[in-house]
Amino acid sequence: SPLLISGDVHMSQFLRKDCIKSIDVQELNNDKTKPHPPKRSLIEVTTSGMTHSWGTSFSSQPKHHTWPLWPYSYLVSRTFMTMCHFVCPWNEIIIRRLGQEEAMVGRGNGLAGKQYYLGLNFAELEFDFAREQDSTSDNGAVTVRIFGKKEDEPPKLEAR
């Protein structure tokens, strides 16, 4: 599956959209007897927020990260983004359920539930080219991990 890497949204998330080729759609519209074309997943990994994030403060200005504004900006940022997820949910966000073995769903040490994290974060991509050539493996050739601020913690999000 194609993998997009994006940032500058002050949070991290895993998104997935199942797509079909436009030529397959045209053929399907012309001939109704044809079976539906196969879908191909498009995966987006968003990571940004090494200096500030929606979980810490909405602003990169130092005055919003010091007393007395820091507690207020932290509360406003986290509350605003949490409400946005309820009011206008992202339908493409990957949801990880414990014990689920579907490809490109957060596995390992990642959090269960919707695959987004509002805290300070950075991403690590691990490419396994030997696995890509092995046709019996369904895990993919790329592992993506989103880490938080503390160095000894396991990844906040993880997917293959």
Side-chain angles (χ1 to χ4, degrees):
S1 296
L3 178 68
L4 301 174
I5 302 171
S6 62
D8 201 23
V9 292
H10 312 297
M11 61 180 286
S12 61
Q13 61 189 357
F14 293 146
L15 302 169
R16 175 183 174 166
K17 186 71 175 175
D18 293 327
C19 306
I20 57 176
K21 293 180 185 177
S22 60
I23 189 74
D24 290 339
V25 173
Q26 292 171 356
E27 290 176 7
L28 184 64
N29 288 338
N30 294 337
D31 185 3
K32 302 292 183 190
T33 61
K34 283 191 171 186
H36 288 286
K39 292 183 178 181
R40 184 174 180 184
S41 297
L42 176 65
I43 308 298
E44 180 181 354
V45 176
T46 303
T47 178
S48 69
M50 290 181 68
T51 58
H52 61 283
S53 68
W54 281 105
T56 57
S57 178
F58 54 86
S59 173
S60 62
Q61 295 184 9
K63 69 180 182 180
H64 291 121
H65 293 271
T66 58
W67 186 261
L69 292 178
W70 179 81
Y72 172 73
S73 64
Y74 176 87
L75 177 67
V76 169
S77 288
R78 187 168 286 278
T79 303
F80 175 74
M81 279 305 286
T82 302
M83 289 176 57
C84 285
H85 275 78
F86 285 112
V87 173
C88 187
W90 293 321
N91 297 327
E92 291 81 20
I93 200 158
I94 293 176
I95 299 175
R96 177 178 179 257
R97 292 173 182 82
L98 293 176
Q100 188 174 12
E101 291 298 324
E102 183 180 339
M104 195 52 203
V105 174
R107 292 193 217 170
N109 295 322
L111 300 171
K114 289 187 176 182
Q115 295 295 284
Y116 73 94
Y117 177 66
L118 298 178
L120 297 176
N121 67 85
F122 67 94
E124 169 188 271
L125 282 77
E126 180 182 328
F127 294 90
D128 186 352
F129 295 106
R131 175 172 273 163
E132 181 180 33
Q133 295 171 358
D134 180 13
S135 61
T136 61
S137 175
D138 64 348
N139 292 335
V142 180
T143 301
V144 182
R145 294 178 191 91
I146 306 289
F147 290 95
K149 187 176 179 179
K150 297 180 183 174
E151 83 178 72
D152 293 333
E153 283 187 343
K156 299 295 182 181
L157 305 174
E158 183 175 354
R160 288 186 199 124

